[in-house]
Amino acid sequence: MDAPGLRRIVDAAGLWKALQKHHGAHGLSTDPQVTQAFEAIVHQLPRLVLHRAALDDLSAAELPALSKALTTFGNTQDVSTVAQAIDERQAWGVRECHEALQPALDQLHTGDLRASLNALAAAQKVLTKVKIQQELLKGLNQTGADDVRDFEYGVYEPLFANMATEPLQTHAQALASPATQRLVETLRGMGQDLWNASGGDETDPRFATAEQLLGISQTLMQLADSANRAQATRTGVEAPAAPEYDASQQDPDVRHAVNGVFQIPPN
């Protein structure tokens, strides 16, 4: 069955549940034509064979919805097939994040602030997209694939756990460096200022930029924590503790670079 056929099953399950609710606990006996139509679907489903290409065409939201539909119609064999597809889709997302993060990590210890910001901005777009997909896959699925750890542990931890010792140490030190901490604090301060200026209005152009800056700041902090944990597990020696900064110590050079890269809207 192709993807449109699978979507028809999802739609049918939604209508089935709506009709059940409308007709009450006694089922659909008062609507024999509807009953016959849905019985035909139920009789066909046990012979349903899900093809990988059809599953691959479904979105992150449609996969869990298909899982629920198959459960509604009692097709337990193909429910497990969808669960496997959901797990695979989550793994694809993790790999996509790792591929996006590697250039950003590599830039952090080059000293080129603008290049680092551009790489971080590109990575953040991928992270945001995949995080939404993962939440859909995790939160809507009912087949046992909903026990995925949160995004930080599911994406950042394996990135560093599978890294060779030397690059792990290099990245952990770069993420914990004073320069990176100044970058984190400046991004966080500028992001908060922009968010306040936007008044939380999503239609204000400053709102989207604020979300981006705050997101990159959080990503850097989570990456630093994950790298530090991985290094401690691997070598027994944690990266040096990073110095603390506050908003009053934001770096003017970083602010200038951020303004240039993100084209901050005027107040």
Side-chain angles (χ1 to χ4, degrees):
M1 183 174 285
D2 60 8
L6 297 180
R7 291 188 180 102
R8 284 195 292 273
I9 292 174
V10 173
D11 293 341
L15 182 56
W16 176 263
K17 289 185 176 181
L19 287 169
Q20 282 182 318
K21 184 176 181 181
H22 175 73
H23 286 287
H26 297 294
L28 306 175
S29 58
T30 59
D31 197 340
Q33 289 184 329
V34 172
T35 301
Q36 290 172 9
F38 280 98
E39 282 180 350
I41 294 176
V42 174
H43 290 153
Q44 290 296 325
L45 278 170
R47 294 190 291 274
L48 172 66
V49 177
L50 296 183
H51 297 289
R52 303 304 312 166
L55 289 175
D56 290 349
D57 283 343
L58 297 184
S59 71
E62 289 174 317
L63 278 172
L66 175 62
S67 173
K68 289 184 177 183
L70 294 174
T71 301
T72 298
F73 292 134
N75 193 324
T76 55
Q77 180 177 355
D78 278 312
V79 167
S80 62
T81 304
V82 179
Q84 181 182 359
I86 289 173
D87 288 340
E88 290 175 358
R89 192 71 59 88
Q90 287 171 328
W92 295 351
V94 172
R95 288 195 294 272
E96 190 176 0
C97 289
H98 289 178
E99 291 172 0
L101 282 167
Q102 194 60 58
L105 290 171
D106 291 341
Q107 285 292 346
L108 277 180
H109 40 82
T110 64
D112 189 332
L113 186 54
R114 286 180 177 268
S116 293
L117 287 168
N118 279 313
L120 286 165
Q124 193 64 31
K125 288 181 180 179
V126 175
L127 294 173
T128 300
K129 179 194 73 173
V130 172
K131 187 171 185 178
I132 293 171
Q133 291 176 349
Q134 299 284 44
E135 287 300 313
L136 286 168
L137 292 167
K138 178 178 67 174
L140 296 178
N141 183 45
Q142 291 184 337
T143 63
D146 58 350
D147 57 348
V148 182
R149 294 181 299 175
D150 67 34
F151 195 72
E152 178 180 356
Y153 287 94
V155 174
Y156 304 145
E157 296 286 326
L159 171 65
F160 295 110
N162 296 322
M163 200 174 279
T165 299
E166 185 174 345
L168 170 60
Q169 183 177 14
T170 299
H171 291 316
Q173 289 176 345
L175 286 162
S177 70
T180 300
Q181 290 301 306
R182 284 193 294 272
L183 175 59
V184 166
E185 193 59 53
T186 304
L187 286 168
R188 182 163 51 185
M190 293 179 71
Q192 190 61 56
D193 289 344
L194 282 171
W195 195 93
N196 292 339
S198 75
D201 180 3
E202 295 185 12
T203 64
D204 189 310
R206 292 169 295 190
F207 181 89
T209 307
E211 292 276 283
Q212 194 174 18
L213 298 187
L214 291 169
I216 293 172
S217 175
Q218 182 181 43
T219 295
L220 284 169
M221 289 188 290
Q222 291 175 335
L223 286 169
D225 288 342
S226 294
N228 203 17
R229 283 192 294 270
Q231 183 168 253
T233 300
R234 185 86 56 85
T235 66
V237 179
E238 295 188 21
E244 294 185 1
Y245 291 88
D246 57 44
S248 66
Q249 294 175 305
Q250 293 180 30
D251 190 292
D253 291 333
V254 176
R255 288 185 65 90
H256 179 72
V258 172
N259 277 317
V261 170
F262 293 94
Q263 299 179 341
I264 305 297
N267 293 330

